[in-house]
Amino acid sequence: MNRILGFKNHGKIERGRYTLTISQEQETYLQDTLSFWKELSPTQKDTIRRAMILKRFEEGDSMYGGSENCAGLFLIRKGQVRAFIVSEGGREITLYRLFDRDVCVFSASCMMRNITFEIHVEVEKPTEAFLIPTSTFCRLTQESIHIQSFTNQLMASRFSDVMETLEQVLFISLDHRLANYLLDQAIIEDSDKLKITHEKIANDLGTAREVVSRMLKYFQKEEMVLLNRGTIKLLNKDKLHKLAQG
């Protein structure tokens, strides 16, 4: 379950008879994350400040589950989430991941025309995110060409990520993809000992768990990794790099 967090009382912005409370950290975050922020009018900025909600998600929570759950634009304050699709047979494939200061645009995809496929967004690590509700973001998008440009660029960037993933699935052999995946995970976790299951890897790579298990056993035979229950230790990263670059 996700929880809504209140804003800290570190600063006040007066608007008529209302008093809006927002921290300097939150204000700086908006400036750094939203490239259009400096182009907005004081009224438009205040609209976002009033509407946005700081939410907390735990590992395994769903931030977005398809077009029927269109919450709005999520700004990742801290944490890690993954966007993925599910086949008719129930097989998952991870399209991309989002980290601190990334923006989740597909969670507001219901206001975008011609988006007909279902993308799911799941939390992988405890995450805090600012939510700008769909109604607010949609209204401001109609008012500001700068927000429209930001949204279009963000969509193009995410579709580029999706196309890169599909290209790897279609044209790159699994051993190369798996080696690259393990190296990427080591960077993300800042550790050569990964706490991850074969099923999780299979979901990320869009293949079967049994196939991943067989390939990992081959990696272990070649002394590139050491397998234990729930963990994979990278033993020879140079060899994995050579395989990944194949």
Side-chain angles (χ1 to χ4, degrees):
M1 297 293 291
N2 67 74
R3 290 185 289 166
I4 299 175
L5 308 179
F7 291 143
K8 296 180 181 179
N9 298 327
H10 291 314
K12 294 183 178 180
I13 300 172
E14 302 291 341
R15 289 292 183 269
R17 65 185 181 89
Y18 298 101
T19 300
L20 174 62
T21 301
I22 189 169
S23 73
Q24 184 58 47
E25 183 270 338
Q26 292 161 352
E27 186 75 10
T28 300
Y29 178 88
L30 291 173
Q31 294 174 6
D32 293 345
T33 306
L34 302 176
S35 61
F36 58 79
W37 185 255
K38 63 181 181 297
E39 307 294 342
L40 299 181
S41 69
T43 299
Q44 290 171 328
K45 290 180 180 179
D46 197 33
T47 297
I48 292 178
R49 294 188 189 104
R50 290 183 182 281
M52 73 179 187
I53 304 167
L54 181 59
K55 306 188 76 174
R56 174 177 290 162
F57 299 87
E58 301 301 331
E59 181 179 345
D61 285 349
S62 174
M63 288 182 66
Y64 175 70
S67 58
E68 295 182 356
N69 182 23
C70 187
L73 197 73
F74 275 110
L75 317 179
I76 309 300
R77 182 171 179 264
K78 61 180 180 180
Q80 178 179 321
V81 305
R82 73 174 182 119
F84 64 97
I85 56 177
V86 183
S87 71
E88 291 184 1
R91 180 173 294 178
E92 299 178 5
I93 181 169
T94 297
L95 301 176
Y96 57 83
R97 284 182 167 81
L98 301 176
F99 302 93
D100 299 4
R101 295 182 179 273
D102 281 334
V103 179
C104 184
V105 68
F106 282 114
S107 56
S109 62
C110 60
M111 71 178 198
M112 303 171 194
R113 296 179 180 178
N114 301 322
I115 301 295
T116 59
F117 54 89
E118 297 289 335
I119 287 184
H120 302 264
V121 181
E122 180 185 65
V123 176
E124 293 190 306
K125 294 182 179 180
T127 295
E128 288 183 6
F130 292 110
L131 171 64
I132 302 176
T134 298
S135 57
T136 299
F137 189 66
C138 186
R139 184 170 72 253
L140 292 176
T141 297
Q142 294 173 348
E143 297 176 3
S144 172
I145 191 172
H146 300 290
I147 298 181
Q148 295 172 24
S149 177
F150 170 83
T151 304
N152 290 337
Q153 291 177 15
L154 190 57
M155 289 290 289
S157 176
R158 295 293 173 251
F159 275 118
S160 178
D161 293 337
V162 171
M163 292 306 297
E164 182 179 356
T165 297
L166 295 180
E167 182 180 22
Q168 291 180 3
V169 171
L170 293 173
F171 303 117
I172 299 180
S173 63
L174 181 62
D175 56 344
H176 294 183
R177 293 169 55 212
L178 180 55
N180 188 63
Y181 176 87
L182 295 175
L183 292 169
D184 284 346
Q185 287 299 121
I187 294 173
I188 292 172
E189 301 298 335
D190 193 25
S191 173
D192 290 342
K193 187 176 183 179
L194 308 178
K195 295 182 179 180
I196 192 167
T197 65
H198 297 190
E199 183 174 3
K200 169 64 174 171
I201 296 173
N203 285 340
D204 284 342
L205 297 181
T207 187
R209 181 187 59 78
E210 295 79 7
V211 176
V212 169
S213 296
R214 285 198 298 269
M215 191 63 68
L216 285 172
K217 288 178 181 178
Y218 166 73
F219 282 10
Q220 180 169 251
K221 181 180 178 181
E222 294 295 314
E223 299 183 341
M224 290 185 282
V225 302
L226 177 64
L227 304 178
N228 286 299
R229 180 181 291 274
T231 65
I232 301 171
K233 185 176 181 180
L234 308 192
L235 299 179
N236 192 329
K237 295 173 75 172
D238 288 340
K239 200 169 183 178
L240 285 170
H241 273 293
K242 290 180 181 179
L243 179 57
Q245 294 170 0

